[in-house]
Amino acid sequence: MKIEQLKYLIEIGHSRSISSAAGKLYLSHTTLSSILKGAEKELGFPLFQRIQGGVKVTAEGEEALALMEEMYRCFEDIQKLSTVNALLTQPVSIVISPSIHSALAVPINQLFWEQESRGRLEFQIVKGMDVGSCLIKNSGNLGLTYFTEESQENYRMIASRYQIRTDCLYTDHFYLLVRRDHPLAARKQISQEELQNIDLAMLEHYVASETCPVYLKTLGPDNRYTIFSNIALIRRSILSQNMAAILPGLAIGSAPGDDHHLFKAIPPIETEQNPNTMYLCLLHRGTASLRDQEKTALNCIRNYFKDLKNLPVLSILPAP
């Protein structure tokens, strides 16, 4: 006897009518009568006695239906376990910009695994300006991106309509990253004019980004640009070709490896026309809309930034 047949027989017992049960089960009277007849033949005794206006449960049927209900409850419990397991194995997606991904993917994943041994993070890397759009379009429930002060306020006004919250976790700045023997390495600060005529290694998403510093957008025609897919390649190009790169402090200070002493990070001169402050923000839906593992990931991100100032690798950055 198939498990769904138990459900059919149980419903007949509750309804005391084959016709009524058939309507609730979206089956025809003929089909349900045939299922009942086959079940009674398989069991070797009648479950119901046909009476005027419906059916009456037999003595054997009372005992059999009680066992069937217990069996079906066990089956439903097994299905619930399957559903819970599916939720546990479903990856937690974090929509993230490339430079933040390079800095946070490994430590956030480590914190998450310490709390969710069966969990799995999935980083969806998009241009920084697209992170907020992805959450609005329901392409994720958690996101990390940089905003300028103006773009942060603009997004907050839009995001509130979609029950998306914006938490500022970290105030960051851009720095010129060079090799220790680069011609500009001795500078304590860099002016926009000094950025002309140097070879730059760039991340592709900075080419058209709201958080891209003004001085990157206004460099002259004598600058040579090379677009790299990640910060690890940019660091290699700096060491091997003596190029320069303009990167957020978090991406510079959190880079893995023991070669930080080979680099120099120099803050640009900040003016009203060339601001050099941006805000790393956590975008997320309310906790009521998050799965348990998404809530864990949310807390891991927050806890990481609570302890961020204590990370020794960030000490290589000059004071802004």
Side-chain angles (χ1 to χ4, degrees):
M1 188 181 301
K2 295 180 179 179
I3 193 72
E4 63 264 22
Q5 291 178 316
L6 298 181
K7 180 181 178 181
Y8 300 157
L9 299 175
I10 292 167
E11 187 55 51
I12 295 173
H14 289 167
S15 300
R16 296 293 196 270
S17 166
I18 296 175
S19 296
S20 177
K24 294 177 182 178
L25 295 168
Y26 300 99
L27 298 172
S28 68
H29 183 281
T30 303
T31 298
L32 190 56
S33 293
S34 177
I35 291 172
L36 173 58
K37 184 177 180 181
E40 290 179 325
K41 182 178 179 180
E42 185 177 343
L43 291 170
F45 57 83
L47 293 169
F48 303 100
Q49 177 185 349
R50 277 67 171 174
I51 60 175
Q52 185 176 0
V55 295
K56 179 182 178 181
V57 184
T58 65
E60 298 93 337
E62 288 280 3
E63 187 174 351
L65 286 172
L67 292 171
M68 288 180 189
E69 290 202 31
E70 184 177 349
M71 291 171 62
Y72 197 76
R73 280 196 297 270
C74 291
F75 172 70
E76 289 182 320
D77 289 341
I78 293 171
Q79 284 186 313
K80 289 176 183 177
L81 287 174
S82 177
T83 301
V84 169
N85 185 65
L87 288 174
L88 288 173
T89 56
Q90 182 180 348
V92 174
S93 178
I94 300 178
V95 187
I96 194 167
S97 68
S99 56
I100 300 175
H101 176 260
S102 69
L104 297 187
V106 173
I108 295 301
N109 187 65
Q110 179 64 37
L111 290 174
F112 182 74
W113 275 5
E114 288 173 1
Q115 299 186 45
E116 296 283 353
S117 59
R118 299 177 62 191
R120 178 160 60 96
L121 292 184
E122 183 177 86
F123 293 98
Q124 181 183 348
I125 305 172
V126 301
K127 292 181 180 180
M129 59 195 301
D130 294 334
V131 173
S133 299
C134 285
L135 266 69
I136 288 175
K137 295 175 182 177
N138 291 315
S139 296
N141 292 326
L142 302 173
L144 285 164
T145 189
Y146 280 113
F147 284 122
T148 61
E149 185 173 2
E150 181 180 1
S151 61
Q152 180 182 182
E153 291 305 316
N154 290 340
Y155 182 77
R156 273 191 173 136
M157 288 190 293
I158 298 171
S160 61
R161 305 173 197 166
Y162 299 89
Q163 287 74 54
I164 297 172
R165 302 177 185 181
T166 306
D167 302 336
C168 182
L169 300 178
Y170 184 70
T171 302
D172 207 346
H173 308 275
F174 281 104
Y175 297 87
L176 182 73
L177 187 66
V178 296
R179 207 167 69 184
R180 285 283 177 179
D181 61 351
H182 190 278
L184 296 177
R187 303 287 197 278
K188 292 185 177 180
Q189 285 187 306
I190 296 293
S191 68
Q192 184 174 347
E193 291 71 28
E194 289 175 301
L195 293 175
Q196 308 299 322
N197 305 314
I198 64 173
D199 296 337
L200 286 168
M202 296 178 62
L203 290 169
E204 188 273 335
H205 70 288
Y206 282 160
V207 175
S209 171
E210 291 183 14
T211 55
C212 177
V214 174
Y215 35 81
L216 258 187
K217 299 176 183 178
T218 58
L219 293 179
D222 294 328
N223 287 103
R224 291 193 302 180
Y225 304 88
T226 304
I227 305 298
F228 291 97
S229 60
N230 58 64
I231 290 176
L233 291 175
I234 286 179
R235 289 168 66 91
R236 283 177 58 186
S237 72
I238 293 172
L239 291 179
S240 63
Q241 297 177 265
N242 212 9
M243 299 180 73
I246 295 178
L247 295 170
L250 186 64
I252 295 172
S254 300
D258 55 2
D259 59 357
H260 295 286
H261 64 285
L262 301 176
F263 296 90
K264 177 75 178 294
I266 312 164
I269 296 174
E270 184 170 14
T271 66
E272 186 175 343
Q273 292 73 31
N274 293 328
N276 188 35
T277 301
M278 54 184 178
Y279 304 94
L280 195 156
C281 294
L282 170 63
L283 315 181
H284 63 94
R285 300 188 188 280
T287 53
S289 302
L290 300 178
R291 295 186 286 116
D292 286 343
Q293 288 194 337
E294 288 177 322
K295 294 175 186 177
T296 299
L298 183 72
N299 289 331
C300 287
I301 294 170
R302 286 174 170 161
N303 290 336
Y304 178 81
F305 280 94
K306 284 180 183 178
D307 298 332
L308 187 61
K309 293 180 181 179
N310 298 326
L311 294 179
V313 73
L314 287 179
S315 63
I316 70 168
L317 295 175

